[in-house]
Amino acid sequence: MSPEHATAGRAGSTLRLENATASPWGPRVLDSISLDLAPGQVLAVAGPNGAGKSSLLQLIAGDIPPTAGTVELDHKPLSDWNSHELPRALAYLPQMSLLNFPYTVEEVVLLGRIPHATGSAVDAGIAMDAMRLTDTLTLRDRLYTQLSGGEKQRTQLARIFSQIAAEDSLAGKLLLLDEPTSALDLAHQQQILEAVQGFADRGCAVILAIHDLNLAARAVDRMLILDAGRQTALGTPGEVLTPALLRNVFHIEVEIATHPLGGFPVITPGYRVRR
C-alpha cells in the first residue's frame, strides 16, 4: 500500500470502536477492542485460530451485540442503524457463505443489489462490473452449485462488491471480508486485493480478517492483532510484525526482511516455540 493511498482522502471516521466487548454465548469472545478506521483505509485483522477475528467482524456487522463499549459507523451508533439503511452502508462477507439454490452466478451477484432501489438497468451494470473485478464474467450463466470452491468464493465476493458499489464517492461505506482469499490461487488473490484497493481509493473503508500475514503486509495500511479476544497490537505492518510479537502471539520464530520494491515486511517462518 503506497503512502499516497494510505493518506489520501481521509476526513473523519467511517468506523469507531471504543472498548468494545462481546459475550454473545456466555464466555467473553472480544475484550475492550478500540480502533478508528478512516475513509479509504484498509485494515487487516490477524491472529491465531480462535483469536476473535470472525467475532470482531460479526460485531461490526451487527450480527452479535456488544456487551460493553461502543461501535459507531459513520459517526452514528451501530444500534441506531435500521435494517434498510445498514446494508447500503456496510457489506459483509462471512468466512462461510452457504447457498444451495441453483442460481446462476449472475443471479447470485445481483442479490447484492437487493438493498438498493437503483433499478434493473443500473443493477445489471454494477453486477457486470463486479463480475469483471472478480473474474467471474465468463461464469455468469453457470449454476452456483456446480462451481469449484474458488469460483464460489469469487462469486460471493462479486455479490458483496455489487452491494457496496455506488456511482459516486464511497466515503462512509464499510466493506468487511472474512478470509476473502483463502480458496484462491495466486493470480486471483492479487486480482481481489487490487479490487479492494480500488474500492479504498474511492473512499470505502475495508477490514480483512486474514491468516496470510505476508499477503496482508503488502495490501493494507494498518494491522490489528488479536489474541484470545484481546487487542495485542495496532499499527502499520512494519510496526506490528516483529519477531517478538510473532513469538508471543503465534509461538513461532521468524526472520523478517523488507521487500526490496514494496518496502513492506516479508516474513520467513522458522520453527515453533515450545509453550
Side-chain angles (χ1 to χ4, degrees):
M1 190 74 60
S2 69
E4 292 80 6
H5 178 266
T7 57
R10 296 192 179 158
S13 174
T14 296
L15 176 71
R16 183 171 176 268
L17 275 68
E18 185 172 356
N19 295 320
T21 299
S23 306
W25 309 289
R28 186 173 293 182
V29 297
L30 294 169
D31 189 357
S32 300
I33 308 299
S34 296
L35 63 90
D36 201 306
L37 193 63
Q41 195 167 55
V42 183
L43 172 74
V45 181
N49 291 334
K53 301 181 294 296
S54 294
S55 295
L56 179 59
L57 266 61
Q58 289 176 306
L59 175 72
I60 296 168
D63 288 352
I64 61 175
T67 52
T70 58
V71 181
E72 292 184 356
L73 176 64
D74 200 18
H75 308 283
K76 184 165 73 171
L78 191 64
S79 57
D80 289 353
W81 288 79
N82 65 45
S83 58
H84 299 290
E85 295 175 322
L86 189 60
R88 293 196 291 267
L90 183 155
Y92 167 46
L93 180 68
Q95 192 170 352
M96 297 290 293
S97 298
L98 300 178
L99 179 63
N100 296 317
F101 296 102
Y103 292 161
T104 66
V105 166
E106 185 172 18
E107 288 171 334
V108 173
V109 177
L110 282 168
L111 292 175
R113 299 305 301 164
I114 289 176
H116 305 274
T118 46
S120 58
V122 171
D123 290 348
I126 289 174
M128 291 284 284
D129 289 341
M131 286 187 283
R132 289 189 187 96
L133 287 175
T134 56
D135 193 24
T136 52
L137 193 57
T138 58
L139 305 175
R140 59 186 296 189
D141 296 322
R142 291 267 305 276
L143 293 180
Y144 179 83
T145 51
Q146 297 175 354
L147 301 179
S148 71
E151 290 169 339
K152 287 180 177 179
Q153 186 168 31
R154 287 174 10 237
T155 299
Q156 291 291 349
L157 282 161
R159 175 179 63 84
I160 292 300
F161 289 167
S162 73
Q163 180 182 336
I164 206 68
E167 295 179 341
D168 53 3
S169 169
L170 296 179
K173 296 185 182 295
L174 179 63
L175 187 59
L176 303 175
L177 303 175
D178 196 346
E179 293 291 345
T181 59
S182 60
L184 303 185
D185 58 46
L186 291 176
H188 284 118
Q189 285 181 0
Q190 186 63 32
Q191 183 174 8
I192 294 305
L193 292 177
E194 288 172 358
V196 165
Q197 291 176 3
F199 281 101
D201 287 339
R202 295 173 58 198
C204 185
V206 184
I207 300 181
L208 311 171
I210 192 166
H211 275 295
D212 190 331
L213 299 180
N214 281 319
L215 195 63
R218 75 170 191 255
V220 305
D221 303 310
R222 300 167 72 207
M223 297 188 73
L224 169 65
I225 305 297
L226 297 179
D227 189 17
R230 297 181 179 86
Q231 181 169 332
T232 300
L234 177 63
T236 67
E239 293 168 339
V240 167
L241 297 176
T242 65
L245 179 135
L246 293 168
R247 182 185 310 114
N248 293 334
V249 174
F250 294 92
H251 308 291
I252 190 168
E253 294 289 351
V254 301
E255 294 288 339
I256 299 181
T258 300
H259 193 279
L261 299 179
F264 49 82
V266 178
I267 301 168
T268 302
Y271 57 89
R272 292 183 60 203
V273 177
R274 293 185 181 273
R275 300 193 213 182

